Amino acid sequence: MNDDVRNIVLGVIATAFSGGFGWSTRTYLWRRALRRKQAFFGLPTGSDCLFVVNRHMSGSDSSVHRKDAFALLEIAGLIKDCGANLQIVTHDGARQGFGERAEFCVGGPVSNARTAAHLTSMLPGVRFDDSRERSPERGALSIGGETYRWQEGMVEHVLLARLTAGAGTRPVFLMAGQTANSNHAAARYLARHHKSLARTYGQDSFCILLKVINSNAYGPDVTELIADVTRPARTPAAAAA
């Protein structure tokens, strides 16, 4: 074998080794990222999860606001990535205990009875104003003595929470907003920022408050993190007062 042939053979071997090493590294990193995502969402491959939809306040009891349907689409991509199975149920049709299956619950307590139950049992420091009359307090969200008011088309607030009942249980993700648009914003925020949320909280429970700005112009796209409200949200209102 002359020098030219030997150099060609060595080059081919080096290229094959480099390519194989690169492929193995990418596969390892992809699998590690997938395991972390599955652990955060409580969605191992082949598992089942619930998506609990609320009712459209201005429609029939069985209708769903199109923005809440958009929230479903945001979450469906995450569930598909984890290799899990999705079951859609109405808020008054979900009959299961807490933590048996991963759950994504969309809508405030006025339109979603399942949300109301989760707030009562897991986030007793949270209050939503349920009045129908037009007033500055309509739809206001109160946490730990602070009140966050809804300004139609300009400022909306939404809670994004990951709730667990302890080790070995599946989490419930709660997206409880003042409007359907803010529900969609919370789902989009979760889809975009789940990696940073997982780094910050791991598999612990948390509750953060988001603000959606100028929804008339920007829809759910301009969303700011106001604060981590886990502690006041988990403290009963009477005790906080």
Side-chain angles (χ1 to χ4, degrees), residues 98 103 105-129 140-143 158-163 172-178 206-208 229-230 232-237:
F98 190 99
E103 178 181 333
C105 193
V106 173
V110 177
S111 64
N112 191 319
R114 185 81 172 172
T115 295
H118 290 329
L119 292 179
T120 299
S121 60
M122 301 295 287
L123 300 174
V126 175
R127 292 289 184 273
F128 279 83
D129 179 82
L141 171 59
S142 300
I143 310 171
V158 58
L159 288 178
L160 172 60
R162 181 186 192 272
L163 308 174
V172 170
F173 287 88
L174 192 63
M175 290 151 276
Q178 294 171 320
F206 67 82
C207 181
I208 60 176
V229 294
T230 305
R234 299 181 71 173
T235 304

Side-chain angles (χ1 to χ4, degrees), residues 172-192:
V172 170
F173 287 88
L174 192 63
M175 290 151 276
Q178 294 171 320
T179 64
N181 181 73
S182 61
N183 297 335
H184 182 196
R188 179 166 292 183
Y189 188 94
L190 179 62
R192 291 179 175 177

Side-chain angles (χ1 to χ4, degrees), residues 27-235:
T27 300
Y28 168 77
L29 294 175
W30 175 81
R31 288 178 176 172
R32 186 177 66 173
L34 176 60
R35 287 193 297 270
R36 289 177 176 176
K37 180 186 291 188
Q38 290 176 324
F40 178 71
F41 287 112
L43 295 173
T45 302
S47 62
D48 296 322
C49 68
L50 294 182
F51 188 94
V52 183
V53 294
N54 57 346
R55 62 184 172 88
H56 194 331
M57 293 302 295
S58 61
S60 67
D61 286 345
S62 60
S63 65
V64 178
H65 196 287
R66 66 187 185 91
K67 291 294 182 67
D68 292 323
F70 292 158
L72 169 60
L73 294 178
E74 300 277 359
I75 299 302
L78 297 173
I79 296 170
K80 181 180 179 181
D81 289 345
C82 292
N85 305 309
L86 171 64
Q87 179 184 356
I88 303 173
V89 296
T90 59
H91 70 104
D92 53 356
R95 297 288 187 269
Q96 72 163 41
F98 190 99
E100 294 179 13
R101 286 184 285 179
E103 178 181 333
F104 299 86
C105 193
V106 173
V110 177
S111 64
N112 191 319
R114 185 81 172 172
T115 295
H118 290 329
L119 292 179
T120 299
S121 60
M122 301 295 287
L123 300 174
V126 175
R127 292 289 184 273
F128 279 83
D129 179 82
D130 60 358
S131 61
R132 299 295 182 90
E133 298 179 1
R134 287 189 173 275
S135 72
E137 300 303 316
R138 182 189 178 196
L141 171 59
S142 300
I143 310 171
E146 297 289 336
T147 300
Y148 303 90
R149 292 176 176 83
W150 168 39
Q151 300 175 34
E152 189 170 0
M154 294 301 298
V155 177
E156 303 164 10
H157 300 90
V158 58
L159 288 178
L160 172 60
R162 181 186 192 272
L163 308 174
T164 63
T169 61
R170 301 287 171 81
V172 170
F173 287 88
L174 192 63
M175 290 151 276
Q178 294 171 320
T179 64
N181 181 73
S182 61
N183 297 335
H184 182 196
R188 179 166 292 183
Y189 188 94
L190 179 62
R192 291 179 175 177
H193 299 280
H194 64 85
K195 291 181 180 179
S196 61
L197 291 171
R199 285 194 298 268
T200 301
Y201 299 104
Q203 298 184 41
D204 294 333
S205 296
F206 67 82
C207 181
I208 60 176
L209 180 64
L210 306 173
K211 179 169 70 174
V212 185
I213 300 172
N214 198 355
S215 60
N216 276 345
Y218 306 125
D221 286 338
V222 182
T223 303
E224 294 181 356
L225 172 62
I226 296 181
D228 180 327
V229 294
T230 305
R231 179 172 293 180
R234 299 181 71 173
T235 304

Side-chain angles (χ1 to χ4, degrees), residues 1-16:
M1 181 182 295
N2 59 41
D3 290 343
D4 290 339
V5 174
R6 183 171 58 253
N7 290 337
I8 292 173
V9 171
L10 292 176
V12 171
I13 294 173
T15 300

